[in-house]
Amino acid sequence: MIERTILVIDDDIDLVEIIRVTLEGEGFKVIDAQNGARGLRLASDEVPDLIILDVMMGEIDEGFQVAYELRNREETREIPILMLTAVVDQTGFDFDPEKDAEFLPVNEFIQKPVAPRELVDLVRKHLPTSV
Amino acid sequence: MDDQKPESVVNDPTLFVTAASLRGRSDWFIRLRWMSVIGVMTGVITADQIAGLPLPVKGIVITALITAILNVGYILHNRRPATSLNNEVRIVKVQMVMDLILLTMLVNLTGGIENPLYLVYIIHVIIASLIFKGKEIYQITGLAVILFTLETLGEHYRIIPHHHLMSASETIHEPLYMLMTLGAFWIVLIVAAYIGSTFMKHNRAIKDDLVQRQKELQDADKAKVDFFRFVTHEVKSPIITALSAVDLALDKNDGNEIVDNMLGRASRRLHQAIEIVKDLSDLTRGGMKSRGRKEKIDLAELTKKLLVSRKELIDSRNLILEADIPSSPVQVKGVPDKIEKILVNLIDNGIRYNHDGKRLYIVLMDVGSKVIFSVQDEGIGIKPKDQELIFEEFYRTPAARETSTLGTGLGLPIVKRFVEQMKATLKVESEPDVGSTFTVTFRKRL
């Protein structure tokens, strides 16, 4: 089986580490970036199999900007994106994943905190051609 | 008095009327003017036919007709949208000047100083002092003084005809009487203008001040909410990260019971911390009335949904659930999130503070213009002295603390606040160790 690479873009290094331990335990390779710009560069260079993106980094909507940019670039367009959000009514701006998902270029919204099992299941579900 | 837009006052302290508010005044004048035309016509017919006063009916009717024609002109003008303030000021001024001229004609035709009709000039001056400020008021007042003085002097010196109101009356040609009338008239008019303008100046100052303070309050409130959003986000992030770490450690733990036990406790308490942050956020954000759109909500469906989602929890406590919920929709109008929070908090309290194996009785009733929702438990109950305190933030009764570590102490304050915002009522009946009943009465307002 080929090793699948997951890119985690999140400015919380502890959370990145937790996700890394979770996913590496399941045999995935995890690379990470602490901000949007570095995340975009890494996504273009490494072309990971899936990207986990935090909705709120330095700027309130940095995650959204990164997601749009990923969808704009030829080489990253097809990569599935899981977007991590804080509890919805706490994001500080009004958006509703259920209603707004179709306007946002991500495959799934994951509400933090997410149980390790659940995260692994979601990653497997969205990996292309995974069984 | 003024229905001016507050922002115009805030942005431009010299501006005290807006084009729209002046247009409103102009429409009001038009209505008053129709009434005066009707009044004059009725008056002249009554005076001529019944009282038999020797009035120049034809002249008076013509004056009334001119007034009516001009009024139609003003109506046509007002049909076009109000464009600029200057334009509206100009048209209102034109109306006032024409009204004064027509009034002078009427005064002349109905006996001049013999007729107390000239008191109507005072009304014009008062209206001007309510609408305008400073020099405009005195321009209108000056015009009224000049017109009435010219009219009176004209009649006195027989330059214009004098129409007798009373057949033998000759007061107009009594210099002393004429001068006393004119003198009193000038003084009354100027004093009226002064009082009106001073009063309105004071009034406007108070209003400007209020508008300013209201704006400051709104700004402060917004700053508070913004700050709170920032704080809740900053607090929540580390909690979530810690919780994720604990959950991962729990997941990786191979059967060490002590580790499982401890991490399990840590995980539950971190969940509780997240709940507190969420509840606090609800309380501050929910405090803003403007938040959320009102919709029709079927409480029957919502209650059933909530009970289904809590079935496992209810079963784990061996509670006997009795739900008396109509099968047809029970609709109220409100913000969905807030209504759900009310129901969720009351139901969860009924579960949490019940004794194991006891009854949980949930009733939804449609009673005409109101809907009653109540949750009754047979649990720990609330002492009478605590029954008001439970609605205070973070207060939990000693019995509640003993029963469950997981409450946030914010559930009932949230319920109370949202109930108040919906203009619903909340009632609690409780006896220690017998149980509690919380009843919300919603107004339908469909």
Side-chain angles (χ1 to χ4, degrees):
Chain A
M1 193 180 141
I2 336 145
E3 193 177 49
R4 303 298 192 110
T5 306
I6 316 278
L7 168 62
V8 181
I9 309 175
D10 195 326
D11 61 351
D12 183 339
I13 50 167
D14 290 325
L15 199 63
V16 169
E17 192 55 29
I18 291 161
I19 295 173
R20 178 197 306 284
V21 171
T22 305
L23 293 179
E24 281 179 353
E26 298 293 322
F28 295 105
K29 181 184 169 196
V30 175
I31 53 177
D32 66 274
Q34 259 90 62
N35 63 47
R38 225 177 298 161
L40 282 169
R41 209 177 315 130
L42 217 54
S44 284
D45 293 348
E46 304 278 326
V47 194
D49 296 285
L50 184 139
I51 296 171
I52 295 175
L53 179 59
D54 187 56
V55 74
M56 250 196 290
M57 287 179 276
E59 286 168 52
I60 198 155
D61 62 345
E62 194 174 342
F64 290 140
Q65 291 170 15
V66 171
Y68 279 112
E69 185 56 32
L70 285 169
R71 287 297 189 245
N72 269 335
R73 294 184 181 183
E74 185 70 38
E75 65 276 18
T76 57
R77 185 166 296 158
E78 303 297 327
I79 304 175
I81 303 173
L82 303 186
M83 187 163 255
L84 284 176
T85 70
V87 183
V88 171
D89 59 355
Q90 307 250 337
T91 48
F93 56 103
D94 290 314
F95 101 103
D96 175 353
E98 274 176 38
K99 285 181 197 151
D100 297 338
E102 51 187 306
F103 304 110
L104 291 167
V106 301
N107 297 62
E108 185 139 357
F109 282 95
I110 304 174
Q111 228 173 71
K112 289 192 282 189
V114 55
R117 291 273 131 229
E118 220 175 302
L119 182 65
V120 172
D121 288 347
L122 284 166
V123 166
R124 286 199 206 282
K125 175 182 155 196
H126 287 286
L127 271 178
T129 66
S130 67
V131 268
Chain B
M1 272 310 291
D2 289 23
D3 47 359
Q4 53 198 272
K5 297 257 158 42
E7 55 270 24
S8 65
V9 179
V10 173
N11 297 341
D12 183 359
T14 61
L15 204 63
F16 58 98
V17 281
T18 62
S21 77
L22 210 51
R23 176 58 70 83
R25 290 304 144 83
S26 172
D27 289 339
W28 181 57
F29 288 167
I30 289 168
R31 288 197 295 277
L32 280 180
R33 210 170 282 117
W34 285 130
M35 293 198 303
S36 73
V37 168
I38 293 166
V40 166
M41 297 296 269
T42 321
V44 73
I45 289 164
T46 314
D48 186 53
Q49 301 291 317
I50 297 163
L53 296 177
L55 289 176
V57 176
K58 211 169 126 195
I60 296 170
V61 171
I62 288 172
T63 310
L65 278 178
I66 296 172
T67 310
I69 290 165
L70 285 173
N71 218 20
V72 172
Y74 304 145
I75 290 173
L76 292 178
H77 172 270
N78 281 11
R79 280 203 182 159
R80 291 182 315 202
T83 44
S84 75
L85 181 63
N86 280 343
N87 207 18
E88 295 303 311
V89 168
R90 209 173 301 130
I91 188 74
V92 168
K93 272 187 182 169
V94 166
Q95 291 184 37
M96 287 185 157
V97 169
M98 291 312 295
D99 287 344
L100 284 173
I101 293 171
L102 287 161
L103 174 63
T104 309
M105 283 166 66
L106 197 63
V107 165
N108 172 260
L109 292 168
T110 57
I113 59 169
E114 280 179 45
N115 186 348
L117 183 71
Y118 62 77
L119 291 173
V120 175
Y121 283 109
I122 299 169
I123 295 177
H124 285 77
V125 165
I126 289 171
I127 288 177
S129 68
L130 296 184
I131 293 180
F132 294 127
K133 66 175 186 182
K135 89 174 188 283
E136 276 103 347
I137 299 171
Y138 291 101
Q139 281 172 356
I140 297 289
T141 310
L143 183 64
V145 165
I146 290 167
L147 284 172
F148 184 64
T149 306
L150 287 177
E151 198 284 324
T152 307
L153 291 176
E155 285 188 28
H156 181 75
Y157 291 110
R158 298 174 202 276
I159 299 164
I160 50 174
H162 172 69
H163 301 275
H164 287 295
L165 186 65
M166 303 298 163
S167 47
S169 165
E170 276 295 341
T171 47
I172 187 66
H173 301 304
E174 293 280 348
L176 187 61
Y177 183 79
M178 182 200 69
L179 284 176
M180 276 167 65
T181 308
L182 277 182
F185 179 79
W186 296 336
I187 290 166
V188 168
L189 235 55
I190 290 162
V191 169
Y194 174 73
I195 291 173
S197 62
T198 312
F199 178 77
M200 284 309 286
K201 206 175 179 179
H202 185 58
N203 221 0
R204 279 192 290 267
I206 291 172
K207 183 161 182 179
D208 289 356
D209 193 39
L210 279 178
V211 168
Q212 183 64 32
R213 279 187 205 189
Q214 193 189 5
K215 198 181 163 290
E216 282 166 13
L217 276 178
Q218 281 169 350
D219 289 350
D221 201 44
K222 196 183 167 296
K224 192 184 83 183
V225 170
D226 286 348
F227 174 73
F228 205 84
R229 277 182 188 175
F230 173 75
V231 170
T232 46
H233 176 249
E234 292 305 303
V235 170
K236 191 183 66 237
S237 294
I239 299 174
I240 284 177
T241 303
L243 180 60
S244 303
V246 168
D247 282 348
L248 180 60
L250 257 176
D251 198 61
K252 298 275 174 203
N253 180 35
D254 294 327
N256 184 329
E257 268 178 42
I258 296 173
V259 173
D260 248 8
N261 183 349
M262 289 303 125
L263 289 179
R265 282 171 193 276
S267 172
R268 280 195 294 280
R269 297 311 292 264
L270 289 168
H271 271 293
Q272 179 193 16
I274 291 174
E275 289 304 312
I276 292 177
V277 172
K278 255 163 73 177
D279 282 355
L280 270 175
S281 170
D282 278 343
L283 264 182
T284 40
R285 282 153 54 83
M288 297 174 80
K289 270 199 167 171
S290 55
R291 286 199 67 85
R293 210 179 44 235
K294 283 184 185 154
E295 287 170 27
K296 278 187 195 172
I297 296 145
D298 179 4
L299 289 186
E301 193 198 318
L302 178 61
T303 310
K304 283 177 203 159
K305 187 190 91 183
L306 292 174
L307 290 177
V308 166
S309 70
R310 279 152 181 78
K311 191 179 178 302
E312 248 179 75
L313 189 61
I314 291 170
D315 289 347
S316 74
R317 303 276 314 276
N318 290 322
L319 298 177
I320 304 155
L321 174 67
E322 289 175 26
D324 191 351
I325 300 161
S327 49
S328 50
V330 179
Q331 286 187 321
V332 295
K333 201 171 183 186
V335 180
D337 280 358
K338 292 184 177 178
I339 292 185
E340 186 164 336
K341 285 264 152 61
I342 294 172
L343 268 50
V344 160
N345 276 302
L346 293 182
I347 293 174
D348 286 355
N349 279 354
I351 299 170
R352 184 176 290 150
Y353 301 114
N354 216 338
H355 289 313
D356 285 351
K358 290 290 188 173
R359 230 167 49 103
L360 177 65
Y361 186 43
I362 290 168
V363 180
L364 181 69
M365 250 194 306
D366 189 334
V367 282
S369 62
K370 289 177 177 167
V371 172
I372 295 170
F373 171 82
S374 87
V375 176
Q376 186 179 5
D377 66 54
E378 298 180 337
I380 58 172
I382 307 151
K383 286 183 185 156
K385 69 173 178 67
D386 283 335
Q387 285 179 14
E388 275 183 29
L389 295 174
I390 51 172
F391 296 106
E392 283 178 15
E393 282 90 352
F394 296 113
Y395 183 81
R396 298 185 71 212
T397 65
R401 286 175 189 281
E402 229 169 81
T403 309
S404 165
T405 52
L406 294 182
T408 63
L410 290 169
L412 287 174
I414 288 173
V415 170
K416 184 171 176 247
R417 181 165 303 188
F418 289 177
V419 159
E420 280 168 0
Q421 282 175 10
M422 292 185 69
K423 299 204 164 55
T425 58
L426 175 64
K427 200 175 71 180
V428 54
E429 292 159 283
S430 186
E431 209 180 307
D433 265 328
V434 175
S436 306
T437 308
F438 285 86
T439 308
V440 182
T441 308
F442 295 99
R443 305 201 302 187
K444 274 188 186 166
R445 299 192 298 180
L446 292 176

